[in-house]
Amino acid sequence: MINLIAPINPLGYGVAGWNITRELSKITDVALWPVGQIQITSQEEANLLQGLVNNASMFNYNAPCVKIWHQHDMAQFVGKGERIGFPIFELDNFSDLEKHHLNSLDRVFVCSEWAKKVIESTVNVKKVDVIPLGVDSELFKPKLSESKKTIFFNCGKWEIRKGHDILYKIFENAFSEQDDVELWMMTTNPFLSPEEDQEWKNLYINSKLGNKIKFIDRVATHEEVYNIMCRTDCGIFPSRAEGWNLELLEMLSCGKTVITTNYSAHTQFCTDDNAYLVNVNSQELAYDGKWFNGKCGSWAKISSQEIDLFSEYMKNVHQRKQEGNLTLNDEGVKTAGNFSWQHSARKIK
């Protein structure tokens, strides 16, 4: 048996928690302690989760316990078995609080080789294993857009970390009113107030190409996410740091061209063969005035040089689309096929 502590909801940790829980339950006994309120979309999912939660009443107290959660909250575990934390973090260093919690663990699971190096260079945990997250390739199938215009897509909650403060600049730097392009933003952040959400939108609405930018609300299911992604041509992700970036992997699985920074966790699956990669020449303290205070950890510094390169790549994609040469990203599809949730579960077991 594996004792598992994890959130089950549509947010980043919750998606990882649900998919790993489901696939682990197919290959071993699982006792589940959900973090927060469970949010699921079908009765079948509810029945499965209820059974796993019921297992917790007679759990094996000698079994290992895996906790999929933030690195600053690793104190509580179940039973007497090995205590394994599975944090998904974005920066290259930790606060004293985070180090204290991580150092209490017997073992740490991380998503990427980049994250493993961060753990090994900052805390004293002896056992660190890379457990890449996955994508549902049966759902996120390759499909070309049927639109004549070139549609760029970004998905991820409003954050400076994700480059949303510069993406509209990259877009307007690449194109003019005459170019048949659109930028779709699926970026609602449930942790922001309506006023903060509107402030972000206003940056795009009031930009030079605001009439070519479309906002898409969060959707309830991954099927709906796929129905949006398959209508686009290219994913644009000017991220300063990522803990994984599931949406980027999903775009690769859909056979879409992608443009992103060559830094942090998504380098686990983004290569020169399947992505337009923008190298970063330096890093800076992670500060956004909201989530990151600049006191601990750094992320990629994106200057005018990197912005220009992002724009050049966008123009290249648009030119290929207009010439009829923007084909499926076969290398991306191949890569995504190597990252399944079943594989994640098998590595954990």
Side-chain angles (χ1 to χ4, degrees), residues 247-260:
E247 295 86 1
L248 179 48
L249 183 59
E250 289 168 345
M251 286 290 281
L252 287 178
S253 186
C254 291
K256 304 301 180 180
T257 303
V258 297
I259 307 169
T260 191

Side-chain angles (χ1 to χ4, degrees), residues 69-348:
W69 195 233
H70 301 280
Q71 61 272 12
H72 66 261
D73 187 12
M74 288 289 169
Q76 294 175 311
F77 278 79
V78 172
K80 300 186 293 185
E82 194 174 32
R83 300 164 73 255
I84 307 168
F86 196 160
I88 305 171
F89 54 89
E90 303 95 353
L91 304 186
D92 63 354
N93 204 348
F94 302 106
S95 68
D96 289 342
L97 173 66
E98 292 170 328
K99 289 178 181 178
H100 184 72
H101 279 246
L102 289 169
N103 282 328
S104 74
L105 301 172
D106 300 310
R107 169 174 272 174
V108 176
F109 290 164
V110 293
C111 301
S112 65
E113 293 293 338
W114 172 84
K116 181 179 181 181
K117 291 177 182 177
V118 172
I119 290 286
E120 291 177 336
S121 65
T122 55
V123 298
N124 297 320
V125 181
K126 301 295 184 184
K127 299 178 182 178
V128 185
D129 304 277
V130 177
I131 311 286
L133 302 184
V135 62
D136 184 352
S137 297
E138 291 298 313
L139 173 59
F140 291 91
K141 295 180 179 180
K143 184 177 181 180
L144 285 173
S145 165
E146 298 177 0
S147 173
K148 293 183 179 180
K149 65 181 61 179
T150 308
I151 299 175
F152 295 90
F153 180 65
N154 179 274
C155 187
K157 61 185 186 296
W158 289 121
E159 271 196 67
I160 287 176
R161 175 177 63 84
K162 289 183 171 290
H164 293 139
D165 59 316
I166 58 171
L167 180 50
Y168 71 94
K169 299 177 184 178
I170 294 169
F171 186 57
E172 66 183 18
N173 189 38
F175 304 114
S176 69
E177 285 286 354
Q178 286 68 48
D179 292 307
D180 196 11
V181 296
E182 281 188 354
L183 173 62
W184 291 8
M185 301 292 293
M186 191 172 171
T187 46
T188 300
N189 188 334
F191 302 110
L192 297 180
S193 68
E195 292 77 17
E196 289 173 311
D197 180 76
Q198 192 58 51
E199 286 178 11
W200 274 109
K201 288 181 178 178
N202 287 342
L203 289 177
Y204 288 75
I205 293 169
N206 297 327
S207 67
K208 294 178 182 178
L209 299 180
N211 63 320
K212 293 180 177 289
I213 299 173
K214 177 180 179 181
F215 301 104
I216 302 173
D217 291 333
R218 293 178 66 89
V219 293
T221 67
H222 275 80
E223 287 78 8
E224 292 173 281
V225 174
Y226 171 71
N227 289 338
I228 294 166
M229 286 183 172
C230 70
R231 295 162 56 198
T232 70
D233 295 291
C234 176
I236 172 76
F237 299 91
S239 301
R240 292 176 170 88
E242 290 286 351
W244 180 250
N245 201 337
L246 177 60
E247 295 86 1
L248 179 48
L249 183 59
E250 289 168 345
M251 286 290 281
L252 287 178
S253 186
C254 291
K256 304 301 180 180
T257 303
V258 297
I259 307 169
T260 191
T261 44
N262 191 18
Y263 179 74
S264 68
H266 56 264
T267 57
Q268 188 73 17
F269 54 84
C270 283
T271 68
D272 288 324
D273 293 328
N274 62 29
Y276 285 103
L277 293 178
V278 175
N279 292 324
V280 292
N281 297 316
S282 61
Q283 293 169 233
E284 61 184 0
L285 288 176
Y287 176 80
D288 63 3
K290 181 70 176 179
W291 313 109
F292 300 93
N293 60 19
K295 295 181 180 180
C296 183
S298 61
W299 56 29
K301 183 178 181 179
I302 300 180
S303 61
S304 58
Q305 179 179 344
E306 286 79 31
I307 287 176
D308 288 343
L309 187 53
F310 271 111
S311 297
E312 285 300 315
Y313 284 153
M314 291 185 84
K315 287 191 282 188
N316 182 280
V317 171
H318 177 54
Q319 181 178 349
R320 288 171 57 196
K321 174 67 179 277
Q322 299 310 302
E323 293 174 350
N325 296 323
L326 190 63
T327 57
L328 287 173
N329 182 356
D330 291 330
E331 285 297 323
V333 175
K334 180 180 177 181
T335 297
N338 295 325
F339 291 91
S340 68
W341 293 110
Q342 293 92 337
H343 179 64
S344 303
R346 287 195 297 269
K347 288 208 71 174
I348 288 174

